[in-house]
Amino acid sequence: MGSTTVEFPDGVRVRGRGLGRPRPDEPEPDFGLYLGTSRLRRKHGGGLTWPHEWVTWPDFLLPVKPAEARRQIEALHNRAKTESVEVACYGGAGRTGTVMACLAILSGVPADQAVAWVREHYNERAVETPWQRGWVKRFGGRLD
C-alpha cells in the first residue's frame, strides 16, 4: 500500500500510509501519528525526523490504551485543520484505516457509515477485523 491523502467532509486532509513501504519521494508531514508496538517503533521509527507520537496498537487488534488513543486521534484531527499530517501503521490498512474511519466520524460521517466511507475514499481493505469495526462504532457513540 502506498500513501493516500484523504480529504474528509469537513475539509481536513490526512495522509495515510504503511511504514513497511516507505516512499522517500513524498514530502515530510508537519506531524505524524504512528500505530504499532515497540518492535515496529524500533524498526521503522528511526527515520521519523518530524514531530510525531506513537499509539501502542498491536497488529489486527485494538489500541492498548483506548482513551489515550482517542485523545491522540482527536488531536490529529485538530492539527490537520492547519498542518500537513499523516497516520501510519506497518501495512497502512487495518490500524491506519481504523483511525481514518474515526477521523471520518470526527468530520461528520455517521459512525455506522464510517467504515464504508473510508473503504471508498482511502483503502478497500481498511478496518480489517470485526473488533476494529466495533471500536469505530464505539468511537462514534461517544460523540453524542
Side-chain angles (χ1 to χ4, degrees):
M1 149 105 216
S3 69
T4 302
T5 299
V6 174
E7 183 167 345
F8 291 92
D10 64 354
V12 162
R13 295 172 56 87
V14 177
R15 180 172 68 194
R17 70 181 180 101
L19 290 171
R21 295 174 193 88
R23 302 261 324 253
D25 58 322
E26 291 184 318
E28 292 183 357
D30 295 324
F31 179 81
L33 182 62
Y34 302 100
L35 319 164
T37 60
S38 57
R39 181 175 173 223
L40 181 67
R41 186 184 308 198
R42 281 190 309 273
K43 186 170 182 179
H44 294 283
L48 304 175
T49 58
W50 49 89
H52 61 278
E53 291 183 3
W54 283 87
V55 175
T56 303
W57 192 327
D59 202 9
F60 299 109
L61 299 174
L62 298 175
V64 171
K65 296 180 180 176
E68 179 64 16
R70 180 183 185 81
R71 182 199 65 75
Q72 290 174 294
I73 294 166
E74 289 171 344
L76 183 71
H77 181 255
N78 286 329
R79 287 184 97 127
K81 294 174 184 175
T82 59
E83 300 176 49
S84 67
V85 302
E86 74 174 11
V87 60
C89 61
Y90 180 77
R95 293 167 286 184
T96 299
T98 300
V99 170
M100 292 292 239
C102 294
L103 292 168
I105 292 168
L106 292 172
S107 298
V109 175
D112 63 345
Q113 297 172 29
V115 172
W117 190 95
V118 82
R119 286 179 175 168
E120 179 182 344
H121 293 90
Y122 172 63
N123 181 323
E124 64 187 20
R125 296 183 315 117
V127 194
E128 295 173 317
T129 67
W131 35 93
Q132 289 172 343
R133 288 190 295 277
W135 199 72
V136 169
K137 287 182 182 175
R138 288 189 304 279
F139 186 95
R142 293 187 184 127
L143 295 177
D144 300 334

